Amino acid sequence: MRALLIIALFGFALAGSAQTKVAFLPCEDVLFLSDVTDEFSRESGLSPVEVRETVRHGVCEAARDVAPMGFKGYSLSVLPDSVAQKVERRLYQSLVRTYKQADKHDKLAEEHNADVDSTHADTSGTRYLDLAPKYLSAEIIDPGFIYVLDAALGCDRYVTINQLDIVTFKAMFPGQPAERWVRAHFTVFDKSGKVLEGGLARASIHPDVHTPAELLSETAPELMAFIWRNIH
């Protein structure tokens, strides 16, 4: 019986170690571009700074809840606050960012238009986003930062959220609600700092969403699920 217990525990340990660990790192404050920050601030009672902090870090937190089988998600919240702040500051100093064509965007556009009602699939916002599929990519230019990440988080993959956009499109017809979208520009790195993937995740925002908590609840799982599908 004891031997069987030891074998079982050993099997569980192997199963846990086989998981691919992925850390999600937030975008810089100045790269959270939103035309709803003041509205969210009024409705939630948070300051504009708190709104940005909640959304920037909240999307990374959401990744942990939608991790596929065989993967485990991490964010800076697993670290002591002082360490998390140092890693975050070093992150922004260690990246060079450029806009590139988002090849991964086309797949998401097809999925979105297949899932929504046909009366909403060809809206002004969707057409604009389909015609502007560029994303902010990132490269790590400071080799020393890789050692910082490994010491702090020790993951197999790292995902940087390079930019977050929230944009509102006015209604095309009377009586039609304004259309809002959130987009997450991302890059996937291996543990050596090599770029593996990059792209643009996006999700439509329901007209009744007016606070950071509502935004994260409705859109963050969809954004993060798309990013997970690009991690191997």
Side-chain angles (χ1 to χ4, degrees):
M1 179 65 71
R2 183 178 179 184
L4 290 175
L5 178 61
I6 292 173
I7 292 172
L9 291 173
F10 183 69
F12 284 129
L14 284 179
S17 64
Q19 285 187 313
T20 299
K21 298 185 292 183
V22 184
F24 290 76
L25 307 173
C27 71
E28 196 168 357
D29 181 78
V30 295
L31 290 171
F32 174 49
L33 309 177
S34 167
D35 58 9
V36 300
T37 302
D38 291 337
E39 175 190 331
F40 280 15
S41 177
R42 289 192 304 271
E43 294 294 329
S44 66
L46 301 174
S47 70
V49 172
E50 291 171 325
V51 168
R52 294 195 297 271
E53 287 295 293
T54 300
V55 176
R56 288 194 311 114
H57 289 277
V59 293
C60 295
E61 295 291 322
R64 298 188 299 177
D65 298 328
V66 294
M69 186 177 296
F71 291 85
K72 186 172 183 179
Y74 295 83
S75 67
L76 292 180
S77 66
V78 302
L79 302 174
D81 186 63
S82 59
V83 177
Q85 289 186 45
K86 291 178 181 178
V87 172
E88 191 172 353
R89 285 196 300 268
R90 183 73 178 269
L91 167 68
Y92 307 139
Q93 296 167 355
S94 303
L95 298 178
V96 59
R97 290 162 284 211
T98 56
Y99 285 98
K100 294 182 178 179
Q101 192 70 18
D103 296 332
K104 297 298 178 183
H105 165 90
D106 295 333
K107 179 182 177 183
L108 182 60
E110 292 169 4
E111 290 175 355
H112 172 76
N113 288 339
D115 291 341
V116 299
D117 185 274
S118 60
T119 57
H120 299 291
D122 194 29
T123 60
S124 60
T126 302
R127 286 203 305 273
Y128 171 80
L129 294 173
D130 283 341
L131 293 172
K134 287 193 173 182
Y135 79 103
L136 188 65
S137 66
E139 293 182 27
I140 297 175
I141 57 173
D142 177 9
F145 180 60
I146 298 300
Y147 297 103
V148 172
L149 282 178
D150 189 53
L153 293 164
C155 289
D156 305 297
R157 301 284 187 271
Y158 296 96
V159 178
T160 57
I161 306 300
N162 305 317
Q163 182 175 313
L164 279 172
D165 317 324
I166 301 178
V167 60
T168 303
F169 299 96
K170 293 182 179 180
M172 296 180 65
F173 305 102
Q176 186 183 40
E179 186 180 353
R180 281 180 175 166
W181 288 84
V182 57
R183 305 191 302 174
H185 307 236
F186 67 92
T187 302
V188 182
F189 300 89
D190 69 10
K191 65 189 305 179
S192 72
K194 178 184 176 182
V195 174
L196 301 177
E197 289 284 1
L200 184 63
R202 73 185 193 189
S204 59
I205 303 173
H206 193 275
D208 292 338
V209 169
H210 301 293
T211 67
E214 293 169 349
L215 174 74
L216 292 169
S217 176
E218 175 170 289
T219 66
E222 181 179 346
L223 294 173
M224 293 300 105
F226 176 76
I227 294 176
W228 273 115
R229 292 198 293 272
N230 289 281
I231 300 174
H232 309 288

